[in-house]
Amino acid sequence: MSVSLEESYARCGRIAQQTGKNFYYSFLVMPREKRAAMCAIYAFMRRSDDIADSTANPAVALEALRQWRTQVDAAFNGGEATDPILPALMDTVRRYEIPQHYFHELLDGTEMDQTTTRYTTFDDLYKYCYRVASAVGLVVLPIFGFQDKAALVPAEACGIAFQLTNILRDVKEDAQMGRIYLPLEDLRRFGVSEDDILNVRATPQFLELMKFEAARAHEFYKKAQPLLPMIDADSRGTLAVMIAIYGGILWKIEQSNFAVFERRIRLGTTEKLWIVGKHWMGHRP
């Protein structure tokens, strides 16, 4: 059933508000048109993840993702938008001239979760992080607005920083699904076994490993900082909020002494609203 462009944007907004708390809070400080575009991008990401998570059978999930890719490609090529979020997504892509290949890289990353449960080196993990997170940053960069192509470099680093934070936060949940995203070369370096992680054993060696990975994430946050003044003034508040929220999660992980096996570490609503208020005041155009 086809939907109007207005209804498609409304659906994307509801999806972002209901399921994308970290992202949605950052969108609040954007102009209305840009906020709607960001919600369309988020809805695409959410739909892709939901399709991937709809079954425990990797082969079935891969086939569903390939069907979704076909739907998206058809819409890109002027065909019927068969999913209610696609009219808004296509309008956003056209309006902001977003390169389509980034959406393929996002889907490549989503498919990797169905085929890969271990990463031997950080270079291997970087490729995954680039696809599932940096590609998102490169998709939204035209919405943020930028003049200098040099902005692509810190935008890529920002995605890596966010995904490394997610990986540190979700070690337990990923282990319960048989996945270990921390590079195996790092496990060996610090004397941590795969069984330690799969059986959620917070050994002293595991804590040292986590400190090392957190320091690596901080390096990418530092590399991302030059992006802020490179984007349009009316988007800087949103980026500042996103960096503060994800950086805040990393800080809480560190402050808990990496108690990621005990609980899922997150920012509360009050903390997020405080961050939004602070950065809205600091980055109003």
Side-chain angles (χ1 to χ4, degrees), residues 5-186:
L5 184 59
E6 183 180 8
E7 173 58 19
S8 182
Y9 271 114
R11 289 191 183 214
C12 292
R14 289 193 294 271
I15 291 169
Q17 185 174 13
Q18 292 166 6
T19 66
K21 301 303 185 184
N22 288 343
F23 285 100
Y24 188 74
Y25 279 101
S26 69
F27 301 165
L28 294 176
V29 296
M30 296 191 94
R32 183 185 300 272
E33 183 179 284
K34 287 190 173 186
R35 184 165 67 244
M38 294 289 281
C39 288
I41 299 302
Y42 175 82
F44 168 79
M45 294 159 47
R46 181 74 268 158
R47 179 76 85 243
S48 302
D49 286 344
D50 287 346
I51 291 169
D53 295 338
S54 63
T55 173
N57 186 321
V60 174
L62 274 175
E63 179 56 32
L65 285 168
R66 286 165 184 161
Q67 291 178 12
W68 172 233
R69 188 190 292 260
T70 299
Q71 286 181 263
V72 174
D73 281 344
F76 275 136
N77 293 323
E80 182 182 0
T82 53
D83 187 284
I85 72 163
L86 289 178
L89 180 68
M90 296 304 114
D91 184 65
T92 294
V93 168
R94 288 190 295 268
R95 188 183 300 267
Y96 293 97
E97 300 180 351
I98 301 171
Q100 296 175 16
H101 69 88
Y102 291 135
F103 293 93
H104 287 280
E105 289 175 326
L106 276 163
L107 290 172
D108 289 342
T110 306
E111 290 182 3
M112 285 177 73
D113 278 328
Q114 310 306 317
T115 60
T116 307
T117 61
R118 303 289 189 278
Y119 292 88
T120 303
T121 68
F122 179 67
D123 286 344
D124 296 331
L125 180 64
Y126 189 100
K127 181 184 293 185
Y128 169 75
C129 292
Y130 173 87
R131 288 176 172 176
V132 298
S134 293
V136 178
L138 297 171
V139 161
V140 302
L141 193 57
I143 301 173
F144 285 159
F146 70 103
Q147 301 300 321
D148 189 341
K149 288 187 177 180
L152 298 173
V153 175
E156 180 175 329
C158 193
I160 302 297
F162 289 175
Q163 190 60 28
L164 291 177
T165 300
N166 287 340
I167 287 170
L168 293 176
R169 179 194 63 195
D170 297 339
V171 173
K172 180 179 179 180
E173 289 82 353
D174 291 330
Q176 290 170 338
M177 294 186 288
R179 297 172 179 168
I180 297 175
Y181 288 96
L182 301 172
L184 298 184
E185 65 179 3
D186 294 344

Side-chain angles (χ1 to χ4, degrees), residues 190 192 202-212 257-259:
F190 287 94
V192 177
T203 65
Q205 293 84 356
F206 173 76
L207 296 181
E208 291 303 310
L209 168 64
M210 292 289 282
K211 289 178 186 176
F212 172 79
N257 197 29
F258 304 97

